[in-house]
């Protein structure tokens, strides 16, 4: 049994913890990280991780881009660069964002080490201990971890199959303010959300922007999956509608390669200097090498076609997952039907504790992420996130079938099955 146990917490020895700063108490391993060691065993079908699938990326082409860069411009690529990010790449990022309706000035962009670093910097600039950050229910585990480290109080706002519900946002703002607490920003992922896969429709985007503008709350729009729509393009970015009140986070992790670690923040002009100073204190400057690799790639390679190839690859996997859920999951389960991105969110009968179920799933050679990882307040115990981005369609079918069997057995054991 110890072989399949999952250790969710790894505390430091107590004598060390007394020497840490108070904020270190919020530095806890995420549920997903704790799962990785088990889920990455080759015999397990991992529907847990959100790793992009690089099998559609031609490696010879990438090798050529890197080789050419070093031979022709190695002295710049291997040198320190600008704290704000390379000017040429910032211009090219404007072209990428134009695909989602954003008209931006390259001077308002700060390049970061993945959009995760941008989340950290925004949090550092805005959050004092106890400040409220509003997020979707559920939300991205990496953002929740960052907000926790800055000692924010995270308040979840209800979603339905179309994403955040504007009336619930109004109600949340009202009740937080009635309690005399400060709201620093709303964080949301409007496109193919992590973890639910849902996409916020255009009219809700406008309504949420209006609510936040009136309430003087910044909107942090995190958009790593926006260009990964399978069936139709996603609606325009929220930033396309509001350049004053939206902090937009972008990333090349899902459209080119996550290992290059290049993301960016497009911010209202008044915030740019603070963001650059905050970034310089943590990394001096983003890597010139990976920025210029991306810049050469965007300049010389058919990157739009490459994104289309990624979409094709993920669409086939999404279809395999939805079909096999239909076939193998119990009638009592419901799940989202994503139009893009990496994830499906499954709700099971409330008696099923998906975290407690995990060891049984591992015995059946399948892994997922339990739903409560995506809540700051312990909810989500009967939900799970399944990702279809990485395994082959055959492995996805195999994994969903095995997981369906585990769930049905658990329901039978508890007497919750309808049939
Ligand atoms: N935001 C969301 C919603 C994500 O899913 C991820 C990665 N899984 C990130 C931000 C961070 O991405 P990166 O740092 O690779 O750009």
């Amino acid at each position: 049994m110890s072989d399949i146990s999952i250790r969710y917490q790894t505390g430091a020895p107590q004598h060390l913890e007394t020497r840490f700063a108070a904020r270190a108490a919020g530095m806890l391993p995420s549920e997903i990280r704790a799962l990785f060691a088990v889920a990455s065993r080759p015999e397990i079908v991992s529907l847990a991780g959100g790793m992009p699938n690089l099998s559609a990326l031609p490696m010879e082409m990438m090798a050529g881009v890197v080789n050419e860069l070093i031979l022709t411009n190695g002295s710049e690529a291997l040198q320190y660069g600008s704290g704000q990010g390379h000017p040429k790449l910032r211009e090219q990022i404007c072209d990428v964002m134009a695909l989602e309706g954003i008209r931006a000035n390259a001077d308002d962009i700060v390049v970061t080490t993945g959009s995760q670093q941008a989340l950290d910097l925004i949090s550092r600039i805005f959050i004092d201990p106890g400040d409220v950050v509003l997020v979707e229910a559920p939300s991205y585990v990496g953002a929740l971890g960052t907000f926790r480290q800055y000692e924010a109080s995270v308040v979840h706002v209800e979603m339905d199959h179309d994403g955040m519900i504007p009336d619930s946002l109004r109600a949340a703002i009202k009740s937080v303010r009635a309690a005399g607490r400060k709201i620093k920003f709303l964080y949301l992922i409007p496109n193919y959300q992590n973890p639910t896969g849902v996409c916020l429709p255009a009219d809700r985007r406008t309504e949420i922007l209006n609510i936040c503008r009136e309430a003087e709350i910044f909107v942090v729009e995190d958009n790593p999956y926006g260009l990964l729509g399978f069936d139709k393009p996603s609606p325009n970015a929220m930033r396309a509608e509001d350049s004053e009140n939206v902090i937009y986070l972008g990333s090349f992790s899902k459209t080119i390669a996550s290992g290059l670690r290049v993301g960016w923040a497009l911010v209202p002009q008044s915030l740019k200097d603070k963001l650059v100073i905050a970034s310089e204190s943590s990394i001096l400057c983003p890597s010139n090498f990976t920025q210029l690799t991306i810049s050469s790639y965007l300049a010389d390679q058919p990157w739009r076609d490459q994104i289309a190839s990624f979409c094709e690859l993920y669409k086939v996997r999404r279809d395999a997952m939805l079909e096999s859920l239909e076939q193998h999951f119990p009638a009592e389960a419901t799940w989202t039907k994503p139009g893009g991105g990496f994830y499906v969110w499954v709700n099971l009968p409330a008696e099923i504790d998906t975290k407690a179920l995990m060891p049984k799933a591992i015995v059946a050679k399948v892994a997922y992420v339990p739903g409560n990882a995506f809540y700051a307040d312990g909810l989500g115990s009967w939900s799970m996130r399944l990702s279809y981005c990485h395994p082959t369609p055959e492995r996805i079918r195999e994994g969903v079938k095995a997981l369906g069997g585990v769930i049905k057995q658990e329901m039978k054991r508890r007497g919750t099955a309808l049939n």
Side-chain angles (χ1 to χ4, degrees):
M1 191 70 181
S2 66
D3 193 35
I4 52 147
S5 70
I6 299 149
R7 263 180 248 113
Y8 289 100
Q9 305 279 325
T10 54
Q14 214 166 8
H15 70 279
L16 261 187
E17 282 193 348
T18 58
R19 296 200 227 159
F20 289 155
R23 79 180 74 85
M27 296 175 185
L28 298 168
S30 78
E31 305 265 327
I32 292 184
R33 184 195 297 203
L35 273 174
F36 268 160
V38 177
S40 58
R41 291 185 200 163
E43 72 275 18
I44 307 278
V45 179
S46 178
L47 308 176
M51 274 199 304
N53 194 319
L54 294 179
S55 64
L57 188 68
M59 291 299 168
E60 275 187 22
M61 174 275 292
M62 281 315 278
V65 169
V66 171
N67 197 39
E68 171 89 3
L69 170 66
I70 297 296
L71 290 177
T72 59
N73 194 15
S75 59
E76 187 184 14
L78 300 176
Q79 187 53 276
Y80 287 124
S82 145
Q84 187 179 353
H86 199 283
K88 182 168 176 215
L89 180 64
R90 287 190 281 109
E91 292 290 348
Q92 291 166 303
I93 286 172
C94 292
D95 297 337
V96 173
M97 292 191 296
L99 295 179
E100 293 180 86
I102 295 175
R103 290 176 53 200
N105 184 336
D107 195 44
D108 298 333
I109 292 170
V110 180
V111 179
T112 53
T113 301
S115 55
Q116 189 67 33
Q117 191 212 353
L119 272 171
D120 183 75
L121 298 176
I122 300 292
S123 301
R124 189 162 359 136
I125 291 170
F126 282 101
I127 299 171
D128 283 320
D131 284 345
V132 170
V133 174
L134 300 171
V135 307
E136 291 148 318
S139 185
Y140 167 48
V141 69
L144 296 180
T146 303
F147 302 152
R148 184 175 58 228
Q149 286 198 25
Y150 287 96
E151 300 172 66
S153 168
V154 168
V155 173
H156 287 282
V157 180
E158 202 187 343
M159 298 169 79
D160 60 17
H161 60 277
D162 277 336
M164 183 174 281
I165 303 168
D167 277 342
S168 302
L169 175 61
R170 282 191 190 89
I173 294 172
K174 204 168 156 194
S175 78
V176 169
R177 289 198 166 153
R181 299 163 76 197
K182 261 193 210 159
I183 301 172
K184 285 301 173 74
F185 53 81
L186 164 69
Y187 167 77
L188 82 175
I189 307 151
N191 293 317
Y192 320 122
Q193 198 237 12
N194 182 358
T196 61
V198 305
C199 188
L200 194 68
D203 55 343
R204 280 201 185 176
R205 293 180 191 224
T206 304
E207 198 174 348
I208 288 172
L209 285 170
N210 289 341
I211 294 169
C212 289
R213 205 177 311 113
E214 259 170 47
E216 298 186 356
I217 296 169
F218 275 118
V219 174
V220 176
E221 176 182 26
D222 189 8
N223 188 29
Y225 304 100
L227 295 177
L228 297 183
F230 310 149
D231 307 318
K232 55 179 190 230
S234 56
N236 271 353
M238 296 173 84
R239 169 58 176 72
E241 232 182 291
D242 186 338
S243 57
E244 293 300 311
N245 204 46
V246 177
I247 296 168
Y248 175 93
L249 311 185
S251 174
F252 289 113
S253 285
K254 278 82 187 182
T255 49
I256 305 179
S258 52
L260 293 171
R261 307 304 302 128
V262 179
W264 68 92
L266 168 65
V267 295
Q269 223 170 20
S270 52
L271 284 180
K272 199 248 341 239
D273 288 345
K274 274 265 183 281
L275 200 60
V276 174
I277 292 165
S279 182
E280 284 172 346
S281 104
S282 62
I283 60 163
L284 287 185
C285 61
S287 158
N288 252 3
F289 174 49
T290 58
Q291 286 184 89
L292 287 173
T293 299
I294 287 183
S295 176
S296 306
Y297 170 85
L298 292 173
D300 301 332
Q301 302 298 327
W303 58 273
R304 291 176 184 80
D305 295 345
Q306 181 61 46
I307 295 175
S309 306
F310 280 132
C311 285
E312 194 44 45
L313 177 142
Y314 293 130
K315 182 182 193 307
V316 172
R317 284 162 172 75
R318 187 263 328 248
D319 291 345
M321 179 166 279
L322 292 181
E323 278 163 25
S324 40
L325 281 167
E326 212 53 75
Q327 261 180 308
H328 300 295
F329 264 42
E332 296 83 346
T334 57
W335 53 87
T336 54
K337 312 225 164 30
F342 289 3
Y343 310 108
V344 171
W345 182 255
V346 179
N347 283 315
L348 299 173
E351 297 77 13
I352 306 289
D353 179 338
T354 54
K355 191 166 162 178
L357 196 65
M358 195 62 191
K360 289 181 183 165
I362 295 292
V363 170
K365 297 193 171 52
V366 57
Y368 57 86
V369 184
N372 64 356
F374 305 95
Y375 288 86
D377 51 14
L379 292 179
S381 65
W382 58 85
S383 308
M384 55 174 62
R385 188 192 77 178
L386 302 181
S387 54
Y388 49 78
C389 46
H390 213 260
T392 60
E394 296 68 38
R395 294 276 280 166
I396 290 172
R397 289 196 182 90
E398 209 180 290
V400 171
K401 183 176 178 190
L403 187 53
V406 171
I407 295 167
K408 283 177 182 165
Q409 218 169 24
E410 181 68 8
M411 288 171 63
K412 213 162 158 190
R413 197 176 71 77
R414 294 178 159 272
T416 51
L418 289 178
N419 44 35

